């Protein structure tokens, strides 16, 4: 897992994504899908620093968060005193209750780089869902993102939060020797201090992007029925959002 989600970078992540993502819109988008499926008990995988948790809690919904990073959970708990957060790996988790809807947000599927990772995740999700419960998740579309990274090997994102200016400089290596559709992502994080750019941290991750056909097959093999496919553009990526129902 990338060091982006640990130590001081958890706080930087939290600050930058407050600018990148409109969390009110993000909450409304996911909540509409939850209400369409008449779900009450909700688990968010990849709950991060608790920005969506805050919206679910404000609306008195039965929400729980799961994240891989202790540091992210620490920030989430500080921001959401009355919410429940659990440290866990989406590939292998078992909570003490079942849920009507499980969300995997923030393109966290990108860190499931092997087929075994994918199958174990869907298996764990099934075990933690009520009968006819739904999984709602997004993924980066390989057919659009890989050509984009070849044409734009360096991608810049700027953010301002609490009067601090941040820059993330991303380098994407579409290494054809990697299995599946995996990319090597190197990112440099900077702030502007007294008019000068100062580096905060370097980060490296191997991430996976998917074709829609791959995702459809993974869901079929793990006994999920797709209810809805949404083509959704986010701040940086062309994604699909999938709503799928657990079947016997």
């Amino acid at each position: 897992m990338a060091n982006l989600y640990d130590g001081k970078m958890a706080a930087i992540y939290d600050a930058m994504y407050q600018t990148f993502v409109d969390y009110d819109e993000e909450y409304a988008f996911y909540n509409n899908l939850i209400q369409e499926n008449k779900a009450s008990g909700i688990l968010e995988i990849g709950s991060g620093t608790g920005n969506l948790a805050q919206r679910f809690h404000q609306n008195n919904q039965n929400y729980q968060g799961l994240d891989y990073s202790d540091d992210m959970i620490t920030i989430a708990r500080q921001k959401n005193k009355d919410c429940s957060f659990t440290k866990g790996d989406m590939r292998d988790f078992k909570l003490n209750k079942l849920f009507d809807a499980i969300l995997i947000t923030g393109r966290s599927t990108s860190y499931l780089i092997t087929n075994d990772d994918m199958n174990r995740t869907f298996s764990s999700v099934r075990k933690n869902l009520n009968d006819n419960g739904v999984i709602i998740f997004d993924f980066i579309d390989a057919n659009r993102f890989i050509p984009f990274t070849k044409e734009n090997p360096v991608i810049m994102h700027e953010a301002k939060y609490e009067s601090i200016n941040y820059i993330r400089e991303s380098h994407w290596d579409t290494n054809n020797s990697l299995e599946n559709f995996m990319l090597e992502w190197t990112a440099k994080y900077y702030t502007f201090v007294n008019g000068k750019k100062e580096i905060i941290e370097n980060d490296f991750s191997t991430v996976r992007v998917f074709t829609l056909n791959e995702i459809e097959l993974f869901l079929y093999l793990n006994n999920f029925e797709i209810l809805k496919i949404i083509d959704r553009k986010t701040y940086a990526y062309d994604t699909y959002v999938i709503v799928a129902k657990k079947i016997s």
Side-chain angles (χ1 to χ4, degrees):
M1 185 64 70
N3 64 23
L4 169 61
Y5 305 110
D6 294 315
K8 68 179 180 181
M9 286 309 299
I12 300 300
Y13 165 94
D14 183 51
M16 294 188 77
Y17 275 75
Q18 300 280 347
T19 300
F20 290 162
V21 179
D22 181 340
Y23 282 103
D24 289 333
E25 190 278 332
E26 195 84 347
Y27 165 75
F29 174 82
Y30 282 108
N31 190 48
N32 285 338
L33 297 175
I34 288 166
Q35 299 308 317
E36 283 179 10
N37 289 280
K38 299 178 174 59
S40 56
I42 303 155
L43 174 69
E44 182 192 5
I45 296 175
S47 52
T49 55
N51 292 307
L52 282 181
Q54 188 174 24
R55 274 78 177 173
F56 281 110
H57 180 64
Q58 287 170 349
N59 287 280
N60 299 311
Q61 289 166 282
N62 184 8
Y63 169 94
Q64 187 166 341
L66 180 85
D67 203 273
Y68 188 82
S69 167
D70 284 322
D71 292 298
M72 300 286 265
I73 289 173
T74 296
I75 294 173
R77 286 174 175 159
Q78 290 168 351
K79 292 163 61 173
N80 302 277
K81 304 292 186 185
D82 298 322
C83 284
S84 175
F85 297 96
T86 302
K87 176 179 169 60
D89 187 328
M90 69 179 114
R91 296 167 297 181
D92 184 18
F93 69 97
K94 182 70 176 77
L95 300 181
N96 58 7
K97 64 179 180 180
L98 301 179
F99 298 88
D100 301 317
I102 294 180
L103 317 179
I104 307 177
T105 57
R107 300 159 303 281
S108 298
T109 50
S110 297
Y111 295 103
L112 301 172
I113 62 175
T114 70
N115 290 355
D116 183 59
D117 289 337
M118 290 293 291
N119 288 318
R120 289 172 59 200
T121 295
F122 286 136
S123 176
S124 288
V125 167
R126 271 187 60 84
K127 292 173 184 175
N128 288 273
L129 277 174
N130 284 317
D131 291 342
N132 297 316
V134 295
I135 178 175
I136 304 170
F137 66 98
D138 59 353
F139 66 92
I140 301 172
D141 176 27
N143 282 314
R144 288 176 289 185
F145 190 64
I146 289 176
F148 178 78
T149 58
K150 282 187 170 292
E151 295 169 8
N152 301 273
V154 180
I155 302 170
M156 304 287 289
H157 291 107
E158 297 185 23
K160 185 175 183 179
Y161 184 67
E162 295 184 346
S163 301
I164 300 175
N165 294 301
Y166 299 97
I167 294 176
R168 182 177 71 186
E169 181 181 289
S170 298
H171 300 256
W172 295 90
D173 182 5
T174 53
N175 187 338
N176 293 335
S177 67
L178 297 175
E179 294 182 4
N180 302 315
F181 298 111
M182 291 195 290
L183 305 171
E184 292 176 342
W185 176 34
T186 303
K188 296 181 182 294
Y189 292 81
Y190 302 91
T191 57
F192 272 112
V193 179
N194 298 323
K196 296 181 179 180
K197 189 168 73 170
E198 296 186 2
I199 192 162
I200 309 170
E201 189 65 272
N202 292 301
D203 184 53
F204 173 80
S205 301
T206 299
V207 297
R208 182 176 181 179
V209 294
F210 300 88
T211 67
L212 181 56
N213 286 343
E214 284 182 299
I215 294 295
E216 290 171 330
L217 186 55
F218 280 122
L219 288 168
Y220 170 77
L221 292 173
N222 286 279
N223 296 307
F224 283 95
E225 175 189 353
I226 294 177
L227 302 177
K228 183 175 282 191
I229 300 172
I230 303 165
D231 190 343
R232 188 182 189 218
K233 176 70 176 176
T234 70
Y235 80 96
Y237 311 102
D238 290 305
T239 68
Y240 284 105
V241 177
I242 303 292
V243 183
K245 181 176 69 174
K246 173 183 173 179
I247 58 176
S248 301

